[in-house]
Amino acid sequence: MRLSISHDTTYHYEDQVRASIQYLRLTPHDSERQHVLSWQLDLPRPVRAQVDPFGNILHVLTLDEPHDAIIIGARGVVEIDELREAEHESQSAFPFLRSTRLTEPDDALRGFAGQHCHQRRDRTALIDLMHALNHTMVYTPGATDVDTCAAQAFAGAAGVCQDHTHAFLACARSLGIPARYVSGYLYTEDST
């Protein structure tokens, strides 16, 4: 499948800011499952690509002059091998076993993970866990904010995509399964 992607982000500030730094992880890389046919960033000034410790392509945009808006664009074409379901990682999985402030499991999350996965640690168990979390935590915009941790969202039985992700990461890591947060685009048949 060939995907044409056009992504624009605009930041508007109420007052001028003197300077800003943006860490941009908007550039996909080639992998076993995807091939980047073309890609460009439209930015207010030139930047250089680098690779962060997790293998992501990173650009650092530094604006040293006063501004009240920033417009960031990313465009390109990516080809996806729909038949390849998984990719093989060359990096160590150890960083993805570590909890963060947002993904620290409490007893409730550990118990939930154990109840839904038992001794299973395969893909099917993780899919079952994902569905169980989705059923338990109702998608509710405004129920949480960016600082809400997995345990709080789980206790409130509501949240948005990031809360479901944080709860899933907390559960998987509590079972000894490396898991990481990956963002991107979701293609659906009715997408334009």
Side-chain angles (χ1 to χ4, degrees):
M1 170 186 350
R2 188 172 285 195
L3 301 174
S4 178
I5 298 167
S6 178
H7 173 102
D8 292 301
T9 300
T10 303
Y11 295 100
H12 288 285
Y13 304 101
E14 286 185 25
D15 298 314
Q16 276 198 342
V17 294
R18 288 186 287 185
S20 65
I21 300 173
Q22 303 286 323
Y23 291 90
L24 307 173
R25 291 177 178 88
L26 293 171
T27 303
H29 58 81
D30 287 324
S31 68
E32 295 174 53
R33 189 165 189 261
Q34 79 180 8
H35 179 65
V36 181
L37 302 176
S38 65
W39 198 261
Q40 74 176 44
L41 295 179
D42 300 319
L43 305 172
R45 68 169 26 127
V47 295
R48 285 186 321 198
Q50 51 190 301
V51 178
D52 74 10
F54 298 104
N56 301 305
I57 299 172
L58 169 69
H59 294 85
V60 180
L61 173 64
T62 304
L63 299 175
D64 294 326
E65 64 280 342
H67 53 281
D68 58 9
I70 303 172
I71 300 172
I72 296 169
R75 300 178 201 330
V77 178
V78 178
E79 196 163 66
I80 305 294
D81 181 351
E82 295 178 79
L83 300 177
R84 184 178 299 274
E85 199 169 287
E87 300 197 33
H88 299 91
E89 293 287 334
S90 59
Q91 291 181 283
S92 169
F94 287 127
F96 308 115
L97 285 168
R98 184 182 50 133
S99 293
T100 66
R101 185 185 64 76
L102 295 174
T103 63
E104 182 69 40
D106 62 0
D107 289 340
L109 283 165
R110 282 187 200 90
F112 186 85
Q115 173 188 352
H116 289 280
C117 292
H118 304 286
Q119 299 305 313
R120 300 179 307 144
R121 300 295 185 265
D122 61 354
R123 184 172 189 266
T124 304
L126 294 174
I127 291 171
D128 291 346
L129 176 62
M130 175 188 66
H131 288 300
L133 279 168
N134 188 49
H135 179 73
T136 302
M137 295 173 61
V138 178
Y139 182 82
T140 311
T144 59
D145 60 38
V146 296
D147 293 318
T148 303
C149 71
Q152 293 167 323
F154 185 76
V160 293
C161 299
Q162 71 185 16
D163 302 302
H164 287 99
T165 302
H166 291 152
F168 182 85
L169 293 173
C171 287
R173 291 171 180 172
S174 77
L175 296 169
I177 301 169
R180 66 180 175 173
Y181 197 123
V182 177
S183 62
Y185 299 98
L186 174 65
Y187 174 79
T188 60
E189 292 299 325
D190 59 349
S191 295
T192 56

